[in-house]
Amino acid sequence: MPFGMAVTLTTAASYTLSGRPMRLLDVRLKRGTIETPMQSMTRNEYDTLPTKTSTGLPTCFHYDRQATGTIYVWPLLAAADGETLAITY
């Protein structure tokens, strides 16, 4: 049975998820009433991004469930304005 959580975005690149889910099934960027699906990246794809500090609306994520359960988003928000990640795990 899938579960869900919401993470409020700031201008940070990574966020620690509570409960450390084993796997993320779906991640969507929410701005007001609009939800945009985000694309999953492998660790290698994230590591090889030339500029991890690029800003814009996040379109991709990498989830590292080792140690703390951290999700990395790219590109970063230049300024947070109530955006959240809607995560199904």
Side-chain angles (χ1 to χ4, degrees):
M1 169 186 289
F3 296 95
M5 74 171 69
V7 175
T8 301
L9 294 181
T10 63
T11 56
S14 64
Y15 304 86
T16 300
L17 302 183
S18 61
R20 204 177 94 188
M22 292 295 286
R23 185 172 65 130
L24 304 185
L25 302 173
D26 185 51
V27 178
R28 297 162 319 282
L29 174 69
K30 289 182 72 172
R31 295 185 83 197
T33 59
I34 299 170
E35 292 190 24
T36 306
M38 294 178 67
Q39 182 170 342
S40 177
M41 291 188 290
T42 66
R43 180 64 174 177
N44 187 54
E45 289 170 331
Y46 182 78
D47 285 344
T48 58
L49 287 172
T51 309
K52 291 180 186 62
T53 56
S54 295
T55 58
L57 284 177
T59 57
C60 301
F61 71 93
H62 167 66
Y63 179 58
D64 182 0
R65 71 176 183 89
Q66 306 295 357
T68 59
T70 302
I71 188 169
Y72 298 86
V73 298
W74 185 85
L76 310 179
L77 283 174
D81 189 25
E83 293 87 356
T84 60
L85 295 180
I87 299 171
T88 303
Y89 63 96

